[in-house]
Amino acid sequence: FFSVKGEPLFSSHMLDLSEEPHEENIGICAKYLERMAKVNLILEIEIGLTGGVEDGVDNSGVAKDKLYSTPEEVWQVYETLAPISEKFTIAAAFGNVHGVYKAGNVVLRPELLGSFQVHAGNILQSTKPLNFVFHGGSGSEKEKIDEGLSHGVVKMNVDTDTQWAYWAGIKDFYEDNELFLQGQIGNPKGLDKPNKSFYDPRKWNREAEVSMTSRVTESCKDLKNV
């Protein structure tokens, strides 16, 4: 695709090896970035542990101090990847979790991203040299998102929120049209009236897409890119 179009098919690729030892994670990501740099593809590296449960990985019981990266760990990423390509982002841990949890159960500390910037900036003699990803962003307070942006967040992952938005579109459609979805024929308009226009998957899938689009738009506004 790149040889024909002169650009990558996808703009970025997330490589989550955060369950692996830190040095091994960085080493493998470096090998990938060497290949990706040839097609101008951005690598998103994840470091530190993300709480919660996702894709069969359960970190819900890990010690809370494991949910926070250190300036030294973040610098090690930059020090290794920057000589290869500038096209990488860092999903550092600052209390992030996968999923949505009751308020107070998660202690996000986006100010840590600021300390990572200061540490790297002092070494490089520059201001905010790092590009961060706010991973596990579903359910996050707006002020935490704003603070993350002020410290160099350029991307936010909100998979759980968009999953719910998709489902909510279907749920709301069913609740609004329940009497038209109990059989192929017969509804409040008549016992012989067909219901195909209601149970057709293209209809309720579309409602799901509209609902999810609205949620994505909200995140785009949160990140101030619309």
Side-chain angles (χ1 to χ4, degrees), residues 8-225:
L9 181 60
F10 301 99
S11 61
S12 65
H13 179 72
M14 178 179 69
L15 184 58
D16 185 358
L17 298 175
S18 55
E19 291 293 315
E20 307 302 327
H22 187 60
E23 290 75 13
E24 183 178 348
N25 179 7
I26 297 175
I28 294 174
C29 284
K31 292 179 180 179
Y32 272 84
L33 187 58
E34 287 173 355
R35 298 175 61 188
M36 294 165 67
K38 297 175 182 177
V39 292
N40 294 326
L41 193 60
I42 299 170
L43 170 71
E44 176 185 331
I45 178 174
E46 297 213 14
I47 64 171
L49 290 179
T50 301
V53 181
E54 184 177 64
D55 298 332
V57 178
D58 187 352
N59 286 331
S60 57
V62 301
K64 297 205 182 310
D65 64 310
K66 299 295 185 182
L67 300 177
Y68 302 96
S69 297
T70 67
E72 291 74 22
E73 289 171 339
V74 174
W75 171 249
Q76 189 176 356
V77 172
Y78 183 90
E79 190 177 36
T80 303
L81 300 187
I84 301 171
S85 170
E86 64 177 8
K87 295 183 180 297
F88 66 92
T89 57
I90 305 172
F94 56 97
N96 318 72
V97 298
H98 288 133
V100 176
Y101 295 83
K102 184 178 178 181
N105 287 1
V106 177
V107 182
L108 281 177
R109 297 184 57 198
E111 72 274 10
L112 290 178
L113 301 178
S115 71
F116 303 157
Q117 292 282 21
V118 170
H119 182 78
N122 286 339
I123 297 172
L124 297 169
Q125 295 297 296
S126 63
T127 303
K128 295 183 181 178
L130 308 173
N131 292 315
F132 289 118
V133 173
F134 192 137
H135 58 159
S138 292
S140 298
E141 301 96 330
K142 301 297 186 184
E143 59 268 23
K144 297 294 186 181
I145 297 172
D146 288 341
E147 187 173 359
L149 291 178
S150 73
H151 296 312
V153 165
V154 298
K155 176 177 179 277
M156 183 169 68
N157 299 340
V158 287
D159 182 47
T160 300
D161 277 354
T162 53
Q163 287 177 350
W164 175 258
Y166 194 94
W167 159 245
I170 297 174
K171 180 177 71 70
D172 292 346
F173 177 76
Y174 178 83
E175 291 174 351
D176 291 342
N177 300 282
E178 184 174 359
L179 296 179
F180 294 84
L181 294 165
Q182 301 308 307
Q184 288 185 292
I185 296 176
N187 57 54
K189 294 183 178 181
L191 295 177
D192 60 345
K193 298 298 183 181
N195 297 316
K196 178 174 172 53
S197 62
F198 291 90
Y199 65 75
D200 186 333
R202 290 171 294 185
K203 175 59 180 177
W204 45 265
N205 265 321
R206 179 56 181 165
E207 296 301 321
E209 292 169 351
V210 170
S211 178
M212 188 171 73
T213 298
S214 177
R215 182 60 186 86
V216 171
T217 299
E218 179 185 341
S219 282
C220 289
K221 290 179 179 177
D222 288 342
L223 296 179
K224 299 177 172 54
N225 62 5

